C-alpha cells in the first residue's frame, strides 16, 4: 500500500480560500504552537496571550483570501498574532477582538444580511455561534453584530456586571476558536435566509402597529405569553409588548428598522427613532429590540437604549 502523502500548507491554504473551513482548521492546528510562541514572546504567560492567539485564528477566517504565497501561510499566521498582540500593547481601550466577526458588522446603510451573504464562511460562523450556550451567544451577538457594543451597554442590556460581560466574551472567543481549529460540520442553517425572514417580520410588525392591525402571521409571532422585560416591563407582573409599544406610538414616537441580526433563538432588531415635538417620551435616536424566541415565537422582548441606558418609565 502506498503511503499517504501529507497535505501541504499550500494545498490546505487553497482549499481554505475556496471556502473549506475544515482546511483552515487543519492549518491552525498545525501552526498553533508557533502562533502561541509569538504571543508568549510579546505578552508573557497569561490569558492575554491565549486571547491573542484565538483572535488571530478568527481573523484568519476572514482574511485567508489575502494570502498570496500559500507556502508561507505559517509566517502569515504568526504575523497575525504579532499584529494583534502589538495592538493590545499599544491600546489602553477595549480591544475589538474577534476580528473575523467584527468586520462583518454593518456600516452605513449596508444591511447585515448583505455583508454576511458576501462572506464565504458565513454559515460556519453562524453555526458556530449557535453552538454557544445562550448566555455566551447573546453577548457575542450584541458585541459584534449590533450597535450595543460597549461592555457597559451590554451589561445594561443583559442586566449583568461588566466583569461578567468580559468573562462571557472571553469564554465565547475561546470556544469559537477551538471549534474553528477542530474543523466544522459540512451543512449549516442558511444564516442569510434566517436574517431575511427576521427582517420581513420586523417590517410587518412595525407596519401593523402603525396601521393598528397586525397581520395574522405577525400576531402569531407575538402570542399571549410574550412578555416585556427589563425597564419597560413591570417586576412581578406579566406585561405584553404590544400595548407597551403602542403607547409610545400613540405619543408620537416612530421607529424605523435599521438593522437585523438573527440567530437560532435570538433576534435583535435595531431601530432609528423619531419623536414628535411635545411628546411625553424623550427617546434617544436609536434603540434596540432584544428578543428571545421559543418555537419560533417571541418569548421575551427587552428594549435597550444604547446611548441612554435609563429611559423614562411609561
Amino acid at each position: 500500500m502506498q503511503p499517504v502523502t501529507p497535505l501541504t500548507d499550500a494545498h490546505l491554504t487553497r482549499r481554505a480560500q475556496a471556502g473549506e473551513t475544515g482546511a483552515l482548521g487543519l492549518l491552525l492546528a498545525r501552526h498553533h504552537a508557533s502562533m502561541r510562541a509569538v504571543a508568549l514572546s510579546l505578552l508573557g504567560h497569561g490569558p492575554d496571550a491565549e486571547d491573542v492567539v484565538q483572535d488571530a485564528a478568527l481573523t484568519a477566517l476572514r482574511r485567508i483570501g489575502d494570502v498570496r504565497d500559500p507556502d508561507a501561510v505559517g509566517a502569515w499566521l504568526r504575523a497575525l498574532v504579532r499584529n494583534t498582540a502589538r495592538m493590545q500593547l499599544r491600546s489602553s481601550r477595549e480591544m475589538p477582538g474577534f476580528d473575523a466577526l467584527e468586520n462583518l458588522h454593518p456600516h452605513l446603510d449596508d444591511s447585515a444580511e448583505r455583508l454576511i451573504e458576501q462572506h464565504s464562511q458565513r454559515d460556519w460562523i453562524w453555526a458556530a455561534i449557535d453552538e454557544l450556550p445562550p448566555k455566551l451567544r447573546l453577548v457575542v451577538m450584541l458585541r459584534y453584530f449590533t450597535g450595543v457594543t460597549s461592555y457597559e451597554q451590554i451589561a445594561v442590556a443583559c442586566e449583568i456586571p461588566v466583569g461578567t460581560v468580559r468573562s462571557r466574551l472571553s469564554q465565547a472567543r475561546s470556544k469559537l476558536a477551538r471549534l474553528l481549529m477542530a474543523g466544522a460540520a459540512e451543512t449549516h442553517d442558511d444564516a442569510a435566509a434566517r436574517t431575511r425572514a427576521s427582517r420581513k417580520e420586523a417590517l410587518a410588525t412595525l407596519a401593523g402597529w402603525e396601521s393598528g392591525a397586525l397581520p395574522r402571521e405577525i400576531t402569531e409571532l407575538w402570542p399571549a405569553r410574550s412578555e416585556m422585560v427589563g425597564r419597560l416591563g413591570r417586576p412581578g407582573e406579566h406585561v405584553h409588548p404590544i400595548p407597551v409599544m403602542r403607547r409610545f406610538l400613540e405619543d408620537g414616537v416612530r421607529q424605523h428598522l435599521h438593522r437585523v441580526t438573527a440567530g437560532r433563538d435570538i433576534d435583535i432588531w435595531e431601530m432609528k427613532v423619531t419623536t414628535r415635538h411635545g411628546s411625553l417620551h424623550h427617546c434617544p435616536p436609536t434603540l434596540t429590540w432584544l428578543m428571545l424566541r421559543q418555537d419560533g415565537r417571541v418569548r421575551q422582548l427587552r428594549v435597550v437604549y444604547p446611548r441612554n441606558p435609563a429611559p423614562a418609565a411609561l
Side-chain angles (χ1 to χ4, degrees), residues 235-305:
E237 181 182 347
H238 179 273
V239 177
H240 197 277
I242 289 181
V244 176
M245 301 306 286
R246 275 187 175 151
R247 283 203 291 273
F248 277 93
L249 180 65
E250 290 165 0
D251 191 42
V253 176
R254 294 291 183 274
Q255 300 181 50
H256 314 276
L257 187 64
H258 173 53
R259 186 161 53 217
V260 170
T261 304
R264 183 171 55 195
D265 51 17
I266 297 173
D267 283 38
I268 301 170
W269 297 349
E270 295 179 84
M271 306 289 182
K272 292 183 177 179
V273 180
T274 57
T275 306
R276 185 180 62 208
H277 180 69
S279 171
L280 295 175
H281 299 105
H282 302 288
C283 289
T286 65
L287 58 81
T288 298
W289 297 19
L290 173 57
M291 294 173 292
L292 304 183
R293 291 189 185 235
Q294 188 173 32
D295 301 324
R297 294 171 171 81
V298 176
R299 178 168 58 86
Q300 287 186 346
L301 168 65
R302 183 189 305 275
V303 175
V304 179
Y305 294 71

Side-chain angles (χ1 to χ4, degrees), residues 57-246:
L58 291 162
T59 301
L61 176 66
R62 179 180 63 87
R63 293 183 50 196
I64 190 65
D66 294 349
V67 178
R68 294 291 174 261
D69 181 2
D71 287 310
V73 69
W76 180 79
L77 289 169
R78 291 190 293 276
L80 289 183
V81 174
R82 191 175 300 110
N83 291 339
T84 306
R86 286 172 177 167
M87 282 176 59
Q88 179 158 315
L89 289 169
R90 285 198 305 263
S91 177
S92 59
R93 60 183 174 83
E94 294 174 2
M95 270 200 64
F98 241 174
D99 194 38
L101 301 185
E102 188 81 14
N103 283 272
L104 291 180
H105 194 288
H107 298 283
L108 301 176
D109 294 328
D110 288 329
S111 62
E113 65 267 30
R114 183 180 306 159
L115 288 178
I116 293 171
E117 189 138 25
Q118 291 171 353
H119 198 284
S120 63
Q121 313 286 358
R122 66 187 185 279
D123 287 343
W124 184 90
I125 289 172
W126 278 108
I129 289 172
D130 282 341
E131 288 295 316
L132 296 173
K135 291 179 180 179
L136 302 189
R137 193 186 323 144
L138 178 55
V139 295
V140 165
M141 291 176 68
L142 289 170
R143 173 73 166 167
Y144 301 109
F145 292 93
T146 78
V148 186
T149 58
S150 77
Y151 290 175
E152 290 77 12
Q153 290 170 340
I154 296 171
V156 169
C158 299
E159 296 183 334
I160 56 177
V162 170
T164 303
V165 174
R166 293 179 184 274
S167 173
R168 289 181 182 176
L169 283 171
S170 178
Q171 291 177 58
R173 180 169 53 232
S174 176
K175 287 178 181 291
L176 285 171
R178 285 200 300 269
L179 278 173
L180 177 57
M181 291 186 190
E186 293 298 323
T187 58
H188 310 290
D189 292 338
D190 187 336
R194 187 168 56 194
T195 300
R196 285 194 296 269
S198 183
R199 173 173 287 274
K200 185 177 179 181
E201 289 174 336
L203 292 171
T205 295
L206 291 176
W209 286 5
E210 289 277 355
S211 67
L214 291 178
R216 180 177 177 182
E217 64 272 17
I218 298 305
T219 301
E220 292 176 354
L221 178 67
W222 302 95
R225 69 175 183 272
S226 295
E227 182 180 15
M228 176 71 78
V229 297
R231 293 181 179 273
L232 297 185
R234 297 191 183 109
E237 181 182 347
H238 179 273
V239 177
H240 197 277
I242 289 181
V244 176
M245 301 306 286
R246 275 187 175 151

